[in-house]
Amino acid sequence: MADPITLEVFSDYVCPWCYLGDNRVKQLKENYDVTIKRVHFPLHPETPAEGRTLADMFGTGPEEIAQKNARMQGLMQAEGLPFNDRSHTYNSRLAQEVGKWADSLGAETQPGGEAIHDKFFEAYFVDRRNIGDVEVILDVVKAAGLDVEEARKVIEERTFKDAVDADWAKSHQYGVTGVPTFVAAGPDGQLHGLVGAQPYEGLEQLAQAVGAKKRG
């Protein structure tokens, strides 16, 4: 039996299009024999610990921010995803390191390892919390049912710093400049990719192009 196709998903927890795309990837995983590998991407690595207003980041006024939020609200609603208007972006680096730790636990032994990604998206896009704050990150860990003290150690000792550095380096190596980006290798080893919050049909076409088997 052939191994499942690996779909690499370049993503950042503070990217609304990644939140949207993540939902469609779950649907793809239900329908096709694919293994999802999250690759963390540095969307706004220069963001200070206290966060940065979207108005400052985009260089626009409150009306434009309200329009962006209204647009996202409509898209999220159509996808069945909860979403609250954003006013700030935050530094997701430590959250990425904790997400990498959670993935290392293995879904078989720790089901919360995969759930933590949803919890980070929810903490930011629904609860409007600063996911760069250590206590917020630990709340997310707890909500995912993972070991809070172990996660605190991961943060304090930066145990997964090198792993996230490697993800960021891979983003550079692949030439990824925007997220989400989806990459998979076909049977001949050739890479196929898609950029942006693709409709489900686009992801399905990518899966078919690289020879992923349909379930059922």
Side-chain angles (χ1 to χ4, degrees):
M1 188 175 176
D3 291 334
I5 296 291
T6 296
L7 177 66
E8 292 184 305
V9 181
F10 291 78
S11 176
D12 193 312
Y13 296 128
V14 294
C15 160
W17 303 106
C18 298
Y19 179 38
L20 200 63
D22 211 54
N23 206 49
R24 294 167 184 169
V25 166
K26 284 179 190 162
Q27 190 182 346
L28 185 76
K29 195 175 176 184
E30 283 181 13
N31 296 331
Y32 286 85
D33 190 17
V34 291
T35 297
I36 307 303
K37 184 180 178 188
R38 184 177 300 271
V39 184
H40 295 285
F41 177 84
L43 186 59
H44 302 298
E46 74 291 343
T47 305
E50 68 276 10
R52 185 181 180 192
T53 67
L54 296 187
D56 177 49
M57 185 174 73
F58 291 120
T60 56
E63 285 183 10
E64 288 87 348
I65 298 302
Q67 287 169 1
K68 287 179 184 293
N69 277 322
R71 183 186 179 206
M72 291 311 309
Q73 191 72 254
L75 291 167
M76 298 296 181
Q77 197 169 12
E79 203 73 22
L81 289 170
F83 177 84
N84 279 318
D85 288 354
R86 295 189 301 153
S87 59
H88 288 69
T89 189
Y90 297 107
N91 193 311
S92 60
R93 171 68 198 214
L94 286 178
Q96 290 184 4
E97 291 182 20
V98 170
K100 205 75 179 166
W101 159 73
D103 280 342
S104 77
L105 299 174
E108 298 78 15
T109 54
Q110 290 276 6
E114 200 165 310
I116 200 168
H117 307 303
D118 291 340
K119 297 299 182 187
F120 273 127
F121 281 129
E122 288 167 16
Y124 176 53
F125 289 107
V126 183
D127 301 330
R128 299 173 54 166
R129 302 186 75 187
N130 177 358
I131 61 167
D133 181 272
V134 171
E135 293 310 313
V136 171
I137 293 172
L138 294 177
D139 281 350
V140 168
V141 169
K142 185 178 180 182
L146 299 176
D147 189 319
V148 173
E149 289 313 308
E150 190 63 35
R152 191 186 296 277
K153 192 175 171 186
V154 166
I155 293 168
E156 288 173 354
E157 298 180 7
R158 302 297 298 277
T159 322
F160 283 80
K161 178 184 182 300
D162 289 350
V164 174
D165 282 347
D167 275 5
W168 287 18
K170 179 177 267 195
S171 299
H172 182 72
Q173 176 197 342
Y174 278 25
V176 175
T177 56
V179 283
T181 290
F182 309 92
V183 178
D188 57 357
Q190 185 177 347
L191 292 178
H192 298 250
L194 284 173
V195 180
Q198 296 291 327
Y200 172 75
E201 292 74 19
L203 293 177
E204 188 172 48
Q205 286 170 8
L206 174 62
Q208 291 169 352
V210 296
K213 299 285 184 277
K214 194 157 189 175
R215 297 187 189 277

